[in-house]
Amino acid sequence: MAQIIDGKAVSAAIKEQVRDEIARDNIKAGLAVVIVGNDPASRVYVNNKKKACEFCGIKSFEYALPEETTMEQLLELIDTLNADKNVNGILVQLPLPKQLDEKAVIERISPKKDVDAFHETNVGKIMIGNYSFLPCTPAGCMELIHSTGVSVAGKECVVIGRSNIVGKPMAMLLLHENGTVIVCHSKTKNLAEVCRRADILVAAVGKPNFVTADMVKEGAVVIDVGINRLENGKLCGDVKFDEVSEKASFITPVPGGVGPMTIATLMKNTLTAAKIQKNEQ
Ligand code: NDP
């Protein structure tokens, strides 16, 4: 039976570290969160980010824009936030309404304030291993892997999913820690067979209960990034938890696994941004 990796506990410890450093060094840190439209899931995420900021002693600035916001209006706000000295980090909650070009919006954020690490400059820095910020969700997954005491070096790591925000950077972080990494996607052949090779299996597919026990090697570390809402309103991951936990050595639950880590890393990144910007003044 697998040990459950407690994302709430690991994330709480990270937020406490951030809070303590901010208090100890009297650091002024500010995070601007921009939300456009009325997506209920986005609203929940933004509220959780606000709560985490309050806990850590980070000033949060929230900009809730109407659904019909134009590109021009959004870019103008980003320019203002880029120039605002009280704002160290800028996060635009995705997804955006369809009239808005997400890529152009992300590229407009100053790379120094891009605490999500989605800007091309930051993506490139992660690729070469010389970065200030790590993308929040993959970095959170790495912290959870570290919390198990299992070393990534030399392990076969399989990531299911190749999105720019989760799968690809996740693969890169595992590679930086000397894992032997395979990235799977919708065109991968013999997926179950490939997954069974994994000492560390990361599922970022967005399909409930996609990873079943027959896809998992005995003793594997299984990280479930998926957040899927079922018809009954319950949240569920990409991994069929009950049967996979019989085989894995460590497994993350949903909720309470990767989710809280994403926010903890965001707090860490905002603190890093504040320190870098202070040193540049
Ligand atoms: P995307 O939809 O952008 O990517 C999904 C990936 O899964 C794609 O690369 C896709 O392949 C692959 N895929 C889809 N179907 C299959 C299949 N049958 N076999 C193999 N691969 C498949 O999703 P995200 O990366 O943005 O998110 C993934 C999940 O993680 C979602 O549930 C999301 O809600 C969750 N998430 C959770 C976060 C957290 O804080 N815990 C943060 C961000 C996301 P292809 O590229 O070929 O289409």
Side-chain angles (χ1 to χ4, degrees), residues 137 160-163 165-167 184-187 191 204-207 210 225-228 238 258-259 262:
T137 300
I160 322 175
R162 57 172 164 181
S163 72
I165 62 169
V166 189
C184 300
H185 45 78
S186 64
K187 307 287 184 296
L191 182 70
V205 192
K207 295 197 167 150
F210 182 81
V225 184
I227 302 180
N228 308 294
D238 289 345
V258 175
T262 301

Side-chain angles (χ1 to χ4, degrees), residues 194-209:
V194 177
C195 290
R196 274 196 298 274
R197 291 176 58 162
D199 302 303
I200 298 173
L201 179 63
V202 181
V205 192
K207 295 197 167 150
N209 298 321

Side-chain angles (χ1 to χ4, degrees), residues 103-118:
K103 193 171 178 303
V105 170
I106 290 167
E107 291 314 308
R108 191 69 159 240
I109 298 172
S110 159
K112 288 179 188 167
K113 297 191 176 185
D114 168 42
V115 282
D116 256 338
F118 291 166

